[in-house]
Amino acid sequence: MTISRDEVLEKVRGVLVDALGVDDDEVTPTSRLTTDLHAESIDFLDIVFRLEKAFGFKIAQGELFPDNINDPKYVQDGKVTADGLALLKQRMPHVDFLAFAADPRLEKVSEVFTVGSLVDFVSRKLQTAPAA
Amino acid sequence: MRWLWIDAVIEHEPHVRLVAVKNVSLAEEHLQQHFDDGPDGPAQPLMPASLMLEGMAQTAGILVGSVRQFSEKVILAKVTQATFDSDVVPGQSIKYDACIDRMDDAGASTKGIISRFDHRGGGWQEIGRTEIIFSHVDKNRSGLDLPEHNFVFGENFRAILGGLMPKSP
């Protein structure tokens, strides 16, 4: 079954409205989960669980949102290193890291996630992963 | 000492469901300070909904902890939903029926149904529903300065957990 990007967006919007208690019209493709929709770290787990249920696939830990990054190869002095950035880009092709690369403070990494990046993630996943 | 808001675990379907009960007694100190506004007569002490939510969180938390033999530190992370339709008064019993909706290394989401039993007749009646997310704190928050021992499922839990909990080494 093929599902259009607009249909994915509508389902993602429903997930975020339920998980974050925001209004429909606040959820646009460019909305950032943290700074615009006020998601906190634990909301990411809630969003993962709800996306799995909404779309019928499994999301491995670290697949949608990054795992804790503690390896000094990837983080030094609170900043993501070039190696760390390369790893993030490789693992998360659904995310645009361009702005983050200019100011790669680890505390800012959650700000890269937009509604559009979730839609990209789901669309890629639906094309490649079998339903759970 | 952790404040326990369940009296006993009465059913356990491993990895799936756990049911606990609490009897509400007029002798409980908190009821002396939590009343309705007496629309039908003298003000009536009420079991606070916030403490019923805590009772459900303890029930669901035990269920989540039991999946991995209480080796994880299971922390309440988020109450996604909590709705209550009716009050509970002294002399009634509360049943917390929790089930796991989804679980992975990072945590678990649970669903719960809260019911009350009126010993003067009427049987069990559903009065509330919850959705609660728990985090396996070591897996989600590595880097925090947490104690090595499992402070969530301490000794005082053993009395009500009975055979659910592994014996002390």
Side-chain angles (χ1 to χ4, degrees), chain B residues 5 30 34 46-57 76 79 82 84 96 114:
Chain B
W5 288 103
H30 63 94
H34 192 264
L46 301 177
M47 179 71 184
S50 55
L51 294 181
M52 289 194 274
L53 184 58
E54 172 64 18
M56 176 57 85
L76 189 157
V79 177
F84 294 89
Y96 301 110
I114 301 174

Side-chain angles (χ1 to χ4, degrees), chain A residues 18-20 41-43 45-46 48-50 52-53 58-61 67-68 70, chain B residues 77-78 80 101-102 104-109 111 131 133-135 139-142:
Chain A
D18 289 343
L20 304 177
S41 59
I42 196 58
D43 292 317
L45 182 61
D46 190 12
V48 165
F49 285 166
R50 288 176 187 275
E52 287 183 336
K53 190 175 283 185
K58 293 286 182 191
I59 302 171
Q61 195 169 359
D67 268 337
N68 289 304
N70 293 318
Chain B
K78 181 176 178 180
T80 311
D101 191 38
R102 171 74 173 81
D104 68 12
D105 283 346
S109 66
K111 289 190 172 183
E131 290 181 19
I133 292 180
F134 295 87
S135 173
K139 300 283 169 52
N140 242 5
R141 295 268 183 182
S142 56

Side-chain angles (χ1 to χ4, degrees), chain B residues 19 29 65 76 89 101 104 117 119-120 124 142 145 153 160 169:
Chain B
V19 184
E29 203 168 326
L76 189 157
V89 299
D101 191 38
D104 68 12
F117 186 87
H119 296 270
R120 292 164 294 195
W124 287 105
S142 56
D145 187 19
F153 300 109
I160 55 170

Side-chain angles (χ1 to χ4, degrees), chain A residues 69-90 97 100-107 109:
Chain A
I69 310 168
N70 293 318
D71 190 328
K73 183 180 174 191
Y74 301 129
V75 177
Q76 287 176 9
D77 300 326
K79 291 185 177 178
V80 177
T81 63
D83 284 344
L85 197 56
L87 183 72
L88 286 172
K89 286 179 179 174
Q90 178 208 331
F97 285 101
F100 177 74
D103 180 15
R105 281 177 288 165
L106 185 60
E107 66 193 51
V109 73

Side-chain angles (χ1 to χ4, degrees), chain B residues 18 24 33 36 41 44 61 71 73 75 86 88 101 109 111 122 132 153-154 158 162 166:
Chain B
L18 189 125
V24 179
Q33 299 171 42
D36 67 8
Q44 172 92 318
S71 59
K73 299 182 182 82
I75 300 292
S86 302
V88 176
D101 191 38
S109 66
K111 289 190 172 183
I132 302 176
F153 300 109
R158 292 176 184 272

Side-chain angles (χ1 to χ4, degrees), chain A residues 107-122:
Chain A
E107 66 193 51
K108 295 275 186 186
V109 73
S110 59
E111 293 180 14
V112 301
F113 295 101
T114 62
V115 173
S117 64
L118 296 191
V119 173
D120 281 348
F121 172 82
V122 170

Side-chain angles (χ1 to χ4, degrees), chain A residues 120-132:
Chain A
D120 281 348
F121 172 82
V122 170
S123 299
R124 288 167 186 265
K125 188 92 174 160
L126 288 173
Q127 286 170 7
T128 57

